[in-house]
């Protein structure tokens, strides 16, 4: 009879392997995680890294989107208030142009328009989280200022812009590009008759003396109406950005939920299956230990003949 000289060492190696397997299964069962080390399942471990990266990207976008939506909503509210102020200004100018107002009434309208100008400028200098939202990317400095002028001066004051024309965008995880700001010079100081501040400053000067140059005042009132329509149109861009960000955020949240579920299924243990594997492995360990004990205790065992 030929005896395998490595029989004992093979048994011991098999027992070591079974014990290692038993420890792995016990750890997986207690932790609830199927892959604790790269060696447990290299493919699953690699897939898990990819899933975690995607989930992190989605979480980062969600946080960024939340802040940007807040900023855009503040911008939308400010623009809405500007529209309200400008609507009142157009009505005041229209009343001043009807030819029935005395000098004091016309000057009072000029004063009211000055108040509206101040309010519009304040709205145009709105900040959010310490950043001026209508300053382009130069957001640390208030973008709008107006030169002082005499309340009775017929020379129009001038409002200047200290921001820039840069537009910011955010890219969603699926590659969609969404505008996230509206530079103030684009919004309030459009070309031609679309300049809100020029129209307001001109009307204030038109009525400051108490007498009305009807032709000029009507022309400036028309310019303010045009600027009002322009601002209202520009507001659509902000509203669209809000809607796009909300939709993108909902899609990202939904995708993150799916990815998280996939990652959980990939990494978590199947308790029933793992319990069965653990039971079988324990049986293998018991059987191997029994064989080794029997062989070592027998005087005629293969161990004594090696």
């Amino acid at each position: 009879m030929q005896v395998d000289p490595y029989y004992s060492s093979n048994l011991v190696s098999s027992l070591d392997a079974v014990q290692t397997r038993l420890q792995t299964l016990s750890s997986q069962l207690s932790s609830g995680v199927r892959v604790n080390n790269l060696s447990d399942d290299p493919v699953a471990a690699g897939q898990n890294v990819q899933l975690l990266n995607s989930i992190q990207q989605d979480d980062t976008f969600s946080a960024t989107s939340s802040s940007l939506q807040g900023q855009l909503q503040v911008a939308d509210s400010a623009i809405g208030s500007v529209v309200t102020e400008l609507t009142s200004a157009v009505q005041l100018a229209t009343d001043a142009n009807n030819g029935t107002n005395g000098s004091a009434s016309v000057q009072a309208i000029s004063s009211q328009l000055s108040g509206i100008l101040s309010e519009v400028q304040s709205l145009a200098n709105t900040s959010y989280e310490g950043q001026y939202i209508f300053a382009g990317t130069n957001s640390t400095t208030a973008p709008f200022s107006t030169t002082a002028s005499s309340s009775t001066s017929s020379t129009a004051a001038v409002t200047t812009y200290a921001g820039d024309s840069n537009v910011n965008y955010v890219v969603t995880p699926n590659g969609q590009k969404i505008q996230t700001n509206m530079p103030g010079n684009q919004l309030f100081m459009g070309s031609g008759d679309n300049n809100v501040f020029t129209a307001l400053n001109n009307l204030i000067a038109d009525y400051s003396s108490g007498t009305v140059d009807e032709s000029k005042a009507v022309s400036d009132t028309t310019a303010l109406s045009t600027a009002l329509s322009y601002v209202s149109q520009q507001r659509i861009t902000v509203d669209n950005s809000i809607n796009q960000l909300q939709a993108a955020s909902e899609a990202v949240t939904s995708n993150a939920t799916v990815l998280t579920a996939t990652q959980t299924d990939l990494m978590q243990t199947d308790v029933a299956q793992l319990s069965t594997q653990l039971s079988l492995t324990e049986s293998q360990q018991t059987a191997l230990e029994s064989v080794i004990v029997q062989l070592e205790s027998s005087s005629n065992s293969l161990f004594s003949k090696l």
Side-chain angles (χ1 to χ4, degrees):
M1 176 180 178
Q2 186 175 4
V3 177
D4 182 357
Y6 302 108
Y7 187 72
S8 60
S9 62
N10 288 341
L11 280 174
V12 172
S13 296
S14 296
L15 181 60
D16 287 342
V18 168
Q19 288 175 333
T20 298
R21 174 64 174 162
L22 190 61
Q23 290 175 351
T24 299
L25 292 173
S26 297
S27 175
Q28 291 176 356
L29 190 61
S30 62
S31 68
V33 179
R34 184 176 66 85
V35 182
N36 291 289
N37 301 292
L38 178 62
S39 58
D40 293 339
D41 190 335
V43 174
Q47 292 174 338
N48 182 55
V49 170
Q50 293 177 336
L51 287 169
L52 289 174
N53 286 339
S54 296
I55 292 170
Q56 185 177 23
Q57 289 177 0
D58 286 347
D59 290 343
T60 298
F61 175 79
S62 293
T64 300
S65 175
S66 177
S67 177
L68 290 173
Q69 285 183 63
Q71 175 181 311
L72 285 168
Q73 286 164 353
V74 169
D76 181 66
S77 177
I79 296 171
S81 295
V82 168
V83 168
T84 299
E85 293 293 331
L86 295 181
T87 301
S88 296
V90 169
Q91 184 59 55
L92 284 170
T94 301
D95 291 343
N97 297 339
N98 64 19
T100 62
N101 294 283
S103 177
S105 295
V106 171
Q107 287 180 318
I109 289 174
S110 178
S111 179
Q112 287 177 277
L113 289 173
S114 293
I116 289 175
L117 170 67
S118 178
E119 181 61 24
V120 169
Q121 180 174 299
S122 177
L123 290 166
N125 285 334
T126 295
S127 63
Y128 177 77
E129 296 183 345
Q131 304 292 308
Y132 291 99
I133 61 177
F134 297 119
T137 56
N138 187 23
S139 57
T140 58
T141 302
F144 292 97
S145 60
T146 301
T147 58
S149 62
S150 170
S151 59
T152 59
S153 173
S154 60
T155 301
V158 177
T159 300
T160 57
Y161 178 68
D164 58 41
S165 302
N166 295 331
V167 176
N168 294 327
Y169 296 90
V170 66
V171 179
T172 68
N174 68 358
Q176 181 185 9
K177 190 176 181 180
I178 301 174
Q179 182 174 336
T180 60
N181 75 323
M182 176 72 72
N185 59 340
Q186 175 184 332
L187 178 59
F188 302 115
M189 305 178 90
S191 61
D193 288 341
N194 293 325
N195 192 317
V196 167
F197 292 107
T198 296
L200 280 173
N201 283 319
N202 285 342
L203 284 170
I204 292 168
D206 289 343
Y207 307 133
S208 62
S209 65
T211 60
V212 180
D213 180 336
E214 184 176 346
S215 176
K216 186 174 186 310
V218 169
S219 176
D220 290 338
T221 301
T222 300
L224 183 60
S225 295
T226 300
L228 169 58
S229 297
Y230 176 77
V231 171
S232 297
Q233 291 170 357
Q234 295 301 299
R235 187 183 185 186
I236 295 173
T237 299
V238 175
D239 291 338
N240 286 341
S241 292
I242 292 173
N243 292 334
Q244 289 172 344
L245 275 174
Q246 288 176 339
S249 294
E250 291 172 1
V252 165
T253 298
S254 177
N255 185 61
T257 300
V258 172
L259 291 176
T260 300
T262 301
Q263 191 258 349
T264 299
D265 291 341
L266 179 69
M267 301 301 290
Q268 74 178 4
T269 59
D270 183 329
V271 176
Q273 182 183 43
L274 195 62
S275 296
T276 299
Q277 293 175 349
L278 184 62
S279 178
L280 291 173
T281 304
E282 287 173 339
S283 297
Q284 291 175 348
Q285 180 186 32
T286 300
L288 283 169
E289 289 174 342
S290 177
V291 169
I292 291 174
V293 168
Q294 290 178 16
L295 290 174
E296 287 182 340
S297 63
S298 173
S299 60
N300 295 321
S301 70
L302 290 175
F303 286 104
S304 65
K305 297 179 179 180
L306 294 176

